[in-house]
Amino acid sequence: MSTPALASAIVRSCATRCRVVTSRGIHSTNPRKVRHFSTSHVKMAETKYTQEELKSRLTEMQYKVTQQKGTEPAFEGEYVNEKSQGMYNCIVCGAVLFSSDTKFDSGSGWPSFTDIAKADTIKLVEDKAYGLERTEVTCAKCDSHLGHLFNDGPSETGQRYCINSCSLKLDKK
C-alpha cells in the first residue's frame, strides 16, 4: 500500500480519536488533515524511564516488545482469550489505552480492539520494517510500542488494533 493510500486508510479508521505523526512532525488529533507520515520528527513522549529501570521492572518479553518494537508469539499472550471486564493500561506507564468493551476475537493470536479508550492516548506511526507498510501503535505518554493498526476490523470504521498482551495490564472491574 502506498503512503498516501495508507494515510487515507488511517484517516477513515482513526476518525478523530488518536494522535498521528505527520510528515511535518505534528501530532495531529485530526487525522483527516494527514497526507503522509514520517517518524523523523517525532516529539519526545511525556514520560521517560531509564533503560536500567525498565529492564529491572519489566519481563524480558515486555522489554523486548515495548522498548525494542518486538512481537510476542501468536496465541501465547496473557490476554488473547481474556473475557474479563475492565480497562487495559500501558504496562510501562499505566496510561489507560483500551476498554474490554471494544475487545474482540480476531483470530489473529493477539488481543484486538475496535477503538481506543479515550482520545490522545496513542500515537500512530508509519512502520516500514521488514519490507511491510503498516501502522505502528505506540503509547502517547511513554512511547512504548504496543502493536499495529489494521483496517480489517468488524466495526463501522473497520479498524483492528492488534496489540501485544505483554504491553498491557488489565485493571479488572
Side-chain angles (χ1 to χ4, degrees):
M1 182 181 286
S2 68
T3 302
L6 178 66
S8 177
I10 292 170
V11 167
R12 287 191 307 273
S13 68
C14 190
T16 59
R17 297 178 43 81
C18 55
R19 291 184 187 178
V20 176
V21 179
T22 69
S23 60
R24 295 189 180 130
I26 300 165
H27 293 269
S28 174
T29 55
N30 185 354
R32 296 181 195 290
K33 296 180 181 177
V34 175
R35 296 289 181 259
H36 300 281
F37 297 94
S38 169
T39 58
S40 61
H41 304 294
V42 177
K43 279 186 184 177
M44 297 301 287
E46 296 173 23
T47 305
K48 282 290 181 184
Y49 301 94
T50 66
Q51 295 305 304
E52 294 77 27
E53 178 186 359
L54 292 173
K55 285 180 179 178
S56 71
R57 69 180 179 88
L58 299 175
T59 67
E60 186 177 328
M61 181 59 75
Q62 288 170 334
Y63 185 84
K64 178 183 173 186
V65 168
T66 63
Q67 305 306 302
Q68 298 174 332
K69 300 184 181 195
T71 301
E72 66 188 353
F75 300 100
E76 292 184 17
E78 178 180 1
Y79 301 124
V80 174
N81 298 310
E82 181 65 53
K83 304 291 185 207
S84 300
Q85 292 295 305
M87 300 303 286
Y88 288 88
N89 304 324
C90 176
I91 194 68
V92 173
C93 70
V96 176
L97 302 171
F98 301 97
S99 168
S100 60
D101 294 337
T102 65
K103 188 174 184 290
F104 70 100
D105 182 3
S106 67
S108 67
W110 293 276
S112 297
F113 303 87
T114 58
D115 205 355
I116 58 177
K118 57 185 180 176
D120 294 333
T121 58
I122 65 161
K123 284 190 304 190
L124 300 177
V125 182
E126 179 181 47
D127 177 1
K128 291 187 177 183
Y130 309 110
L132 303 170
E133 289 191 24
R134 305 179 292 180
T135 303
E136 178 188 11
V137 178
T138 64
C139 176
K141 187 173 179 184
C142 69
D143 267 345
S144 291
H145 173 77
L146 303 170
H148 290 88
L149 175 64
F150 299 99
N151 293 310
D152 58 4
S155 68
E156 305 89 36
T157 62
Q159 62 191 14
R160 172 175 58 99
Y161 290 89
C162 185
I163 307 298
N164 291 283
S165 285
C166 65
S167 68
L168 301 171
K169 175 71 175 149
L170 175 60
D171 183 15
K172 294 181 182 179
K173 285 185 182 176

